[in-house]
Amino acid sequence: MTKTISIGNDHAGTDYKLALMDFVQSLGYDIINRGTDAADSVDYPDFAHAVAEDVSQGKALFGILLCGSANGVCMTANKHADIRAALCWQQEISLLARQHNDANIICLPARFCSIEACKDMVATFLNTPFEGGRHQNRVEKIACCS
């Protein structure tokens, strides 16, 4: 699988995305930039759909989505088959999203977390394997369509 991360954001997450792009590249990943690079108001679904498609089509190993609350991008990404987007606001949530839910997109609330906290969550997310075991059956029950 590719060592590429797809990242997308709306206007609330532009500064965070730019910082996270540099951070993720320093960890050895390539980046697909699906977000806006400006502060002008945009529609978050446009960027969330692009990241979800990159992950579901195997163009990216994982996705990172940012908006003000992360709710909108999370809801949008989870409309895609084979996507398990997790809204994370602290490091332990990002750990459990990977370990227990096999999440493949992390959604970060730019208006509620610091950039440093987001870096910590992303690092944890990227470095935590899915535990499988008792969680595998549960994950298989998440999708309602294919």
Side-chain angles (χ1 to χ4, degrees):
M1 168 102 27
T2 180
K3 204 158 180 218
T4 300
I5 305 298
S6 183
I7 188 167
N9 62 289
D10 71 357
H11 49 280
T14 300
D15 292 339
Y16 280 59
K17 180 198 64 182
L18 295 172
L20 288 173
M21 284 175 60
D22 289 340
F23 177 70
V24 169
Q25 287 174 316
S26 77
L27 298 176
Y29 291 89
D30 294 323
I31 296 288
I32 301 171
N33 180 359
R34 298 293 191 193
T36 183
D37 290 329
D40 300 329
S41 183
V42 295
D43 297 332
Y44 62 81
D46 298 336
F47 307 104
H49 284 305
V51 169
E53 288 172 11
D54 284 343
V55 174
S56 68
Q57 294 171 4
K59 295 177 185 174
L61 180 61
F62 292 114
I64 301 170
L65 286 168
L66 298 130
C67 73
S69 70
N71 278 303
V73 292
C74 192
M75 288 181 212
T76 302
N78 277 319
K79 300 296 182 196
H80 292 256
D82 301 322
I83 293 300
R84 290 171 306 283
L87 195 161
C88 298
W89 61 93
Q90 58 182 289
Q91 196 169 3
E92 187 176 12
I93 301 297
S94 66
L95 177 86
L96 293 172
R98 286 289 306 131
Q99 282 182 336
H100 294 186
N101 309 116
D102 199 18
N104 49 16
I105 295 179
I106 185 171
C107 302
L108 301 166
R111 292 190 177 134
F112 296 94
C113 295
S114 70
I115 289 175
E116 287 307 311
C118 288
K119 287 179 182 178
D120 290 342
M121 287 185 277
V122 167
T124 297
F125 189 85
L126 296 177
N127 291 311
T128 301
F130 175 51
E131 285 183 354
R134 71 183 193 276
H135 304 292
Q136 183 65 49
N137 188 49
R138 297 169 186 162
V139 168
E140 290 172 4
K141 291 181 177 184
I142 292 173
C144 64
C145 57
S146 55

